[in-house]
Amino acid sequence: MAIKRMLAADFGASSGRVMAGDFDGTRMEVRTLHRFLNEPVWLFDTMHWDFLRLFHELKEGIRKAGASGVDSIGVDTWGVDFGLLDREGRLLENPVHYRDARTAGMLEKAFEKLDRNRFYEITGNQFMEINTAFQLLALKEKNPALLEQADRLLLMPDLFNYYLSGVAASEYTIASTTQLMDAARREWSGEVMQALGISQRIFPEIVKPGTVLGPLCPSVCRELSMEPFSVVAAAGHDTQCALAAVPSGQDDFIFVSCGTWSLFGTELPEPVIHADSARYNVTNEGAFGGRISFLKNIIGLWLIQESRRQWIREGQEYDFGGLEAMAATEKGNRSFVDPDDPVFVPAGDIPARIRAYCEKTGQAIPDTPARIVRCIDESLALKYRVAMEEICACTKKTYSCIHLVGGGANSRLLCQLVADVCGVPVHAGPVEATACGNLAIQLAAAGEVSGLSQMREVIAASEDICIYEPRAHESWEDTYQHFKTEIVGKGKM
């Protein structure tokens, strides 16, 4: 059969890439065409995404694919953020970064308008101030004129798709990150929007992942000297692309998509919304194939990424591999942090905050980069075990292994620590899970594969998976109990 060639544009919270996937009917060969940084831009006191630059980089990636032979493209990004368009389809301002301080205090204000329990009952989403609902509440309070000018709100992957195809639609998986969607009905929630005073008129129709939006628009074809090809609304949320790429043949499995964020959870046929899921603040998000991703959002490799940026600012140049190698030689089990403590959310001097956290909680203070990274990796592994216990309690199921996909699969230290702490094997890979899932969804949209099971079979046949067996799991038990009772939530500044 003829080779099927697709492009995956994968925008992470710190970098992006355009990747090509060639499918021969059995295996998929994936290669990188273009990589670029995704760095925030400050204007006065507001932190923005540089959308115009990112769209330029996307087009550069398409250009590098060559003038012909491309069948389709799909875009995925991080969740919750959005752009506002006027009636002419012009971007009103660069999208604001979810780490911007404008949402501080918005959770409490939202609960004054809509009971917290009812809010969760409808949306099934984990409460986080970065969510779209609370960004819009902040915008309504601080810049209502901008919101009144808006004719359309497009979440980030939908915004890229719009400028590629000219079609304004909201893809289901990314819509499910907003805390504005009814999880059971899988449509925008009029009750939530009315309670928060947000107009539903600016929200476009929700479409299923794998929907073909149309051809690449003529202006982009002319600019890039490209033949037109299909623009597919893949799973717009990068987590759901990664989940689609989990190479599991089982119906019940645990996954962690480990990148800037760690998304830890399982895949279910329907949302789980009850007292336990509310108490543990577990989120229900839309996944490919009508499935539900039931997961916890945990701060992930952001802690190492931002620490590295701080050390570079201080004149110490480290690459990620070198940091992990140094950390692997350090004695472990010395000091821990709660990765989800709010003190670690803003950009800045993460190493100083980790030292302050450890001092406040009466622990050994990690005083070198190697000890900082060791502290981060061990803390992540321990936090994953907390999340696994909560997922098991909510689903009433047990799981025999953890599939760890994404950039964290490159860290042998982290993968082994997760196996040791959680007491189950870790199947690490694919590293490029998000792009692989994006490409596989395009295969499904083209009718080249029949559904999720066959997509995962293709990825399992195409990617190398490394298995880490647990070692000395029992030796972590006391540490884990200490972490849960004495570390989590105790270091707030």
Side-chain angles (χ1 to χ4, degrees):
M1 64 173 291
I3 296 292
K4 186 81 173 176
R5 176 162 296 171
M6 305 147 296
L7 303 181
D10 173 30
F11 292 88
S14 58
S15 64
R17 59 267 180 93
V18 177
M19 305 191 75
D22 291 344
F23 180 61
D24 64 6
T26 304
R27 292 169 53 86
M28 185 164 59
E29 180 185 347
V30 180
R31 68 189 188 282
T32 302
L33 298 176
H34 185 54
R35 284 189 181 270
F36 47 90
L37 291 176
N38 182 8
E39 295 180 321
V41 176
W42 287 91
L43 288 176
F44 294 115
D45 293 327
T46 301
M47 190 179 190
H48 293 271
W49 298 104
D50 193 351
F51 177 78
L52 299 182
R53 168 54 54 181
L54 294 177
F55 192 68
H56 168 77
E57 299 290 1
L58 168 57
K59 290 187 291 186
E60 283 299 296
I62 295 173
R63 191 194 306 275
K64 290 179 180 179
S68 62
V70 175
D71 294 292
S72 63
I73 187 170
V75 178
D76 64 79
T77 77
W78 64 96
V80 308
D81 288 334
F82 57 89
L84 296 172
L85 305 180
D86 68 11
R87 291 183 180 180
E88 304 301 321
R90 294 172 297 209
L91 193 62
L92 290 173
E93 70 167 358
N94 251 339
V96 176
H97 198 296
Y98 62 80
R99 294 190 190 276
D100 186 75
R102 67 177 176 169
T103 56
M106 288 299 143
L107 271 178
E108 292 75 15
K109 291 186 178 182
F111 297 150
E112 293 173 1
K113 300 173 182 290
L114 180 61
D115 175 75
R116 180 187 181 119
N117 291 334
R118 179 58 181 158
F119 209 156
Y120 183 78
E121 181 184 351
I122 297 168
T123 66
N125 284 150
Q126 179 179 357
F127 287 110
M128 303 175 71
E129 280 191 328
I130 66 174
N131 290 350
T132 314
F134 311 117
Q135 292 197 44
L136 286 171
L137 200 59
L139 186 57
K140 187 171 179 292
E141 179 179 293
K142 299 172 183 179
N143 192 0
L146 184 66
L147 205 51
E148 289 166 7
Q149 292 178 58
D151 182 67
R152 280 286 182 269
L153 179 150
L154 292 177
L155 294 151
M156 292 304 295
D158 304 325
L159 191 62
F160 286 109
N161 286 337
Y162 173 71
Y163 285 113
L164 287 176
S165 70
V167 177
S170 188
E171 186 277 323
Y172 166 60
T173 69
I174 199 72
S176 72
T177 70
T178 61
Q179 208 141 28
L180 293 168
M181 198 181 82
D182 187 309
R185 296 180 178 178
R186 308 186 187 208
E187 61 187 29
W188 298 120
S189 171
E191 181 178 346
V192 170
M193 292 190 189
Q194 184 175 5
L196 298 182
I198 295 167
S199 173
Q200 194 170 337
R201 69 168 179 81
I202 63 174
F203 291 84
E205 174 192 3
I206 295 175
V207 300
K208 293 179 180 180
T211 297
V212 178
L213 297 174
L216 191 67
C217 67
S219 63
V220 177
C221 290
R222 287 194 299 270
E223 179 186 355
L224 303 181
S225 300
M226 298 289 292
E227 295 295 323
F229 52 83
S230 296
V231 178
V232 178
H237 190 200
D238 52 9
T239 300
Q240 307 314 325
C241 282
L243 175 55
V246 170
S248 175
Q250 299 176 314
D251 289 334
D252 294 323
F253 59 86
I254 285 283
F255 75 94
V256 54
S257 177
C258 184
T260 300
W261 288 85
S262 289
L263 296 310
F264 191 105
T266 190
E267 185 180 71
L268 299 170
E270 297 293 337
V272 171
I273 302 175
H274 51 44
D276 282 344
S277 66
R279 178 161 60 93
Y280 293 133
N281 206 17
V282 188
T283 200
N284 292 268
E285 294 179 355
F288 180 77
R291 309 282 285 175
I292 294 295
S293 173
F294 186 65
L295 57 83
K296 293 292 295 274
N297 286 277
I298 301 167
I299 288 182
L301 300 181
W302 159 258
L303 295 173
I304 294 177
Q305 294 164 353
E306 192 63 11
S307 293
R308 176 175 174 266
R309 279 189 279 269
Q310 178 62 30
W311 292 322
I312 290 173
R313 287 191 288 267
E314 295 171 357
Q316 302 178 78
E317 293 281 348
Y318 297 110
D319 60 35
F320 292 114
L323 287 170
E324 291 291 332
M326 289 162 45
T329 66
E330 281 292 327
K331 179 182 177 182
N333 216 335
R334 290 167 44 91
S335 49
F336 315 100
V337 298
D338 178 359
D340 290 329
D341 191 290
V343 72
F344 299 123
V345 172
D349 193 347
I350 293 293
R353 294 179 212 163
I354 288 175
R355 291 191 293 268
Y357 190 106
C358 291
E359 181 178 17
K360 185 171 183 178
T361 49
Q363 303 178 85
I365 298 174
D367 53 0
T368 67
R371 289 174 180 168
I372 290 283
V373 174
R374 183 83 190 202
C375 170
I376 292 168
D377 280 350
E378 291 187 349
S379 299
L380 284 174
L382 290 160
K383 191 73 178 199
Y384 292 168
R385 182 170 168 187
V386 173
M388 186 166 71
E389 289 188 353
E390 293 174 352
I391 297 292
C392 290
C394 290
T395 62
K396 311 302 182 189
K397 296 179 180 181
T398 58
Y399 303 90
S400 60
C401 71
I402 295 172
H403 288 271
L404 193 154
V405 301
N410 281 321
S411 172
R412 297 181 63 86
L413 173 61
L414 177 61
C415 292
Q416 188 61 59
L417 283 168
V418 174
D420 294 347
V421 171
C422 295
V424 295
V426 168
H427 294 226
V431 172
E432 302 290 1
T434 305
C436 288
N438 183 325
L439 294 165
I441 290 169
Q442 294 179 60
L443 286 179
E448 299 288 336
V449 294
S450 60
L452 195 52
S453 295
Q454 193 175 358
M455 287 161 52
R456 286 174 171 156
E457 288 173 5
V458 168
I459 290 167
S462 306
E463 298 290 324
D464 294 327
I465 308 300
C466 186
I467 298 176
Y468 295 82
E469 297 290 344
R471 303 184 305 208
H473 169 61
E474 295 77 11
S475 67
W476 282 94
E477 192 59 35
D478 289 344
T479 298
Y480 176 63
Q481 297 304 325
H482 170 75
F483 179 79
K484 278 205 304 184
T485 58
E486 301 300 327
I487 303 300
V488 174
K490 297 295 179 68
K492 290 184 172 61
M493 308 299 286

